[in-house]
Amino acid sequence: MSSDLINEFLDKKSLEALDVLLSADDITKIKESGILVSQAFNATSDAFKMIADAKDSAEDKLISSFNNNLVLLIQKTWVEKSDEELKAQVLYHLQEFEKLMQAKSYVASYKSFLEIVDTVVYLMFGSQTKTKDFDEYALRIDPEFGIFWWYIKSLPADVSWSEDKTRIAILLGMYFLANY
């Protein structure tokens, strides 16, 4: 996504927060940056702060909400006959992902999370997601979703991050989708 385009939708503070989130090793800085990025998703409160700070009921509730919302979204999304199998596969992968998250296996669940999000977005928007213009399209039709998509596409495909950092990165993406 071009930096000029994302600058139309995000302030400098949010852009810098993502850079810190991706590059920092200090978990305090990572959490602070995650909270700022969550506010770029149009969060109206510090709800993500409670999730980032605690590994208890707030996180469990987010995992449950994420799973429930995604299952509904997947089930309600009309797809071509040729994508019915993909729809069933992503529902299965979502169940497996939820088990990993409940076991607090963040690094092990990272790639699965990105694949699930990518597949769900494909099911929602079709082959358009594979075009170079999709990022701009997403921002223009729904800026909140476009900012979320910018976040997802900014995450590296493979990471060697700590469990804590990976936890924040995944939960931040889940936070948007659980409330979408």
Side-chain angles (χ1 to χ4, degrees):
M1 183 175 303
S2 81
S3 59
D4 290 341
L5 179 62
I6 198 65
N7 285 329
E8 291 178 35
F9 293 88
L10 287 175
D11 60 13
K12 186 176 179 181
K13 183 174 77 170
S14 298
L15 294 168
E16 289 172 353
L18 180 65
D19 287 340
V20 171
L21 178 77
L22 296 175
S23 63
D25 292 323
D26 179 339
I27 194 62
T28 302
K29 288 181 181 178
I30 293 165
K31 285 179 183 180
E32 290 169 358
S33 297
I35 292 163
L36 289 173
V37 172
S38 77
Q39 292 167 349
F41 295 158
N42 200 21
T44 55
S45 69
D46 283 336
F48 187 74
K49 181 175 179 6
M50 292 185 337
I51 295 162
D53 286 342
K55 291 184 182 178
D56 54 15
S57 63
E59 182 175 325
D60 293 340
K61 183 177 179 191
L62 176 64
I63 293 168
S64 177
S65 293
F66 170 80
N67 187 59
N68 292 340
N69 281 6
L70 238 54
V71 166
L72 281 173
L73 183 63
I74 294 163
Q75 290 175 340
K76 299 292 181 190
T77 300
W78 182 88
V79 296
E80 297 288 337
K81 188 84 170 149
S82 59
D83 286 331
E84 286 294 331
E85 178 65 25
L86 185 59
K87 198 172 176 178
Q89 286 175 2
V90 78
L91 286 168
Y92 171 77
H93 291 297
L94 184 58
Q95 289 177 331
E96 296 301 306
F97 171 76
E98 184 180 21
K99 290 176 190 171
L100 286 170
M101 289 299 290
Q102 289 172 341
K104 311 298 185 208
S105 299
Y106 307 108
V107 171
S109 62
Y110 180 81
K111 279 186 96 134
S112 179
F113 172 71
L114 293 179
E115 290 168 3
I116 289 167
V117 170
D118 195 56
T119 303
V120 169
V121 172
Y122 171 80
L123 290 173
M124 291 170 57
F125 293 97
S127 61
Q128 184 172 7
T129 61
K130 306 301 181 197
T131 67
K132 64 181 176 81
D133 297 332
F134 181 70
D135 298 344
E136 180 176 351
Y137 173 79
L139 271 169
R140 301 244 184 247
I141 63 159
D142 184 347
E144 289 176 20
F145 178 79
I147 291 168
F148 163 75
W149 190 241
W150 159 79
Y151 169 72
I152 292 297
K153 289 304 179 182
S154 297
L155 293 173
D158 294 304
V159 296
S160 56
W161 293 339
S162 68
E163 287 284 335
D164 286 336
K165 181 173 181 167
T166 308
R167 173 183 173 266
I168 296 298
I170 293 171
L171 293 178
L172 187 53
M174 290 174 67
Y175 178 75
F176 176 82
L177 288 172
N179 296 296
Y180 187 62

